[in-house]
Amino acid sequence: MPEFTMLIRTAELAAMLSDEHCRVLDCRFHLSDPARGYEEYRTGHIPGAMYVDLDRDLAGPVTAGSGRHPLPDSLAFAALLGHRGIGHGTQVVVYDGGSGAIAARAWWMLRWLGHDRVALLDGGFARWLADARPVETGAARACGVRRFVPAEQTDRITTTAEIATAVDGGGELCLVDARDEARFRGDVEPIDPVAGHIPGARNFPLGRSLSADACWKSPGTLARAWRTVLGDRPGGPWIAMCGSGVTACHLVLSAQLAGYGEPTLYVGSWSEWIRDPARAVATGP
C-alpha cells in the first residue's frame, strides 16, 4: 500500500478502504452545535470510518490558564487511537465536512505522537459524495484493537511563555494567525472575550489554501500565497496559531504543501493568550 503523509484524493482512498492496514477517522464538528458532527456521521460516513470528537477526543480539559482546546494527555490519546484500530504502520486518513479545518487537527496530533503516516482527504466528505463514492450509515463497525505507542514530539509545540518572552523583549517573532481577517484585525470577535491579535503576528486565513470547492490549491499557487507572508525563507523558523490551536494545524499542512518548513504550533493560541489581561493585544492590520 502506498504511503500518504499530507493529502489523499478520494480515488486513492477508495482503492485502499478494504486494506486492514488503513483506518479512517471522521472529524466533522461544529463549534456552534457540538452534537451535530456525530449526528452527521450516523447519517452517512465513509465505509469503516470511526468518529472522533473535537472537544472530547482531540482536546483535553480546559483549565483557568489554557485556551479553548488544549491538547489531551498523550497516553489517553494514544489509547483512543489504539481502540480505533491504529497501530505502528497503519495508514490513517482523516476528513471532515470539506475544508479540513477540523481534520487537520487530527492530522497534526498523530504527527505530534510520532505517527507520520497520516493524510487529510482532499475536499473531505463533500468531495467524497460529489465523486459518488460509497457511504455507510449508523454507528461504527467493530474493529480490532491495536497497540499505539506514542513518541511525543515536544519540539513541534511553542508555549505562551515563549511567545510572551519574545513579545515583551522585542525579539523576532514570526507568528502566523489562521483566523479570518476581521477577527485578526479585531473588527469582530464572535467566540473569545477579547478581540485583536498578538503584536507582530501576521495573518493567513485558512481559506486562502482552498479553491471554491473546498479542495486544496496547487503547491505552486500555495507557494505564491505563502511568499506574501513568509517571503523567501522556506526553511526559516515560524509559528502557526489561530483561536484555539485547531485551525492553525491547517496552516502547518498548507505551508508544507507549498514547500516551506514545518512551523511549531502555538496550541493555546489567542484564547490562551488573552487569559492574562496584562498580555499585549494589537488591533488593525
Side-chain angles (χ1 to χ4, degrees):
M1 184 169 60
E3 181 172 314
F4 295 89
T5 59
M6 287 196 277
L7 290 181
I8 187 170
R9 318 298 176 188
T10 65
E12 294 165 329
L13 175 56
M16 66 172 67
L17 273 184
S18 60
D19 194 305
E20 65 176 344
H21 298 294
C22 177
R23 288 290 182 269
V24 183
L25 300 179
D26 185 315
C27 308
R28 283 176 284 178
F29 189 86
H30 303 270
L31 288 174
S32 60
D33 186 0
R36 183 176 157 196
Y38 184 63
E39 292 169 1
E40 292 176 338
Y41 169 82
R42 289 183 62 90
T43 299
H45 55 264
I46 293 175
M50 309 288 283
Y51 186 72
V52 290
D53 182 274
L54 174 61
D55 284 344
R56 185 179 62 249
D57 302 324
L58 302 180
V62 175
T63 69
S66 77
R68 287 182 280 107
H69 290 108
L71 289 175
D73 175 77
S74 60
L75 291 177
F77 185 58
L80 179 142
L81 293 174
H83 280 87
R84 297 296 193 275
I86 299 169
H88 177 71
T90 304
Q91 173 67 63
V92 183
V93 176
V94 298
Y95 73 91
D96 54 32
S99 70
I102 306 299
R105 168 75 169 222
W107 172 83
W108 183 89
M109 286 178 61
L110 270 100
R111 292 160 53 82
W112 163 58
L113 294 190
H115 192 93
D116 290 339
R117 197 172 186 178
V118 53
L120 188 145
L121 180 63
D122 192 13
F125 193 61
R127 183 76 258 167
W128 185 265
L129 293 177
D131 290 345
R133 305 293 178 192
V135 172
E136 186 175 71
T137 60
R141 303 181 214 157
C143 72
V145 176
R146 290 192 170 111
R147 184 165 180 254
F148 186 96
V149 181
E152 191 173 340
Q153 312 286 304
T154 57
D155 59 350
R156 294 182 186 267
I157 295 171
T158 292
T159 66
T160 293
E162 290 169 328
I163 292 178
T165 296
V167 171
D168 295 343
E172 183 179 358
L173 183 68
C174 188
L175 180 63
V176 184
D177 193 321
R179 293 175 300 160
D180 64 56
E181 292 97 329
R183 287 186 69 198
F184 179 82
R185 291 192 304 263
D187 299 345
V188 297
E189 183 45 68
I191 302 175
D192 292 306
V194 178
H197 58 266
I198 296 175
R202 310 166 194 188
N203 190 212
F204 191 98
L206 72 85
R208 289 186 190 171
S209 300
L210 305 174
S211 300
D213 62 357
C215 289
W216 288 72
K217 295 177 180 177
S218 69
T221 301
L222 291 173
R224 288 189 291 274
W226 275 104
R227 198 169 295 122
T228 66
V229 178
L230 294 179
D232 295 317
R233 46 180 291 163
W238 63 287
I239 306 160
M241 68 164 290
C242 58
S244 66
V246 175
T247 59
C249 300
H250 203 272
L251 299 192
V252 178
L253 176 55
S254 175
Q256 288 186 88
L257 289 168
Y260 282 80
E262 180 173 353
T264 56
L265 177 69
Y266 178 22
V267 176
S269 282
W270 180 247
S271 57
E272 183 168 305
W273 180 259
I274 60 173
R275 288 286 195 179
D276 184 348
R279 294 185 186 125
V281 169
T283 56

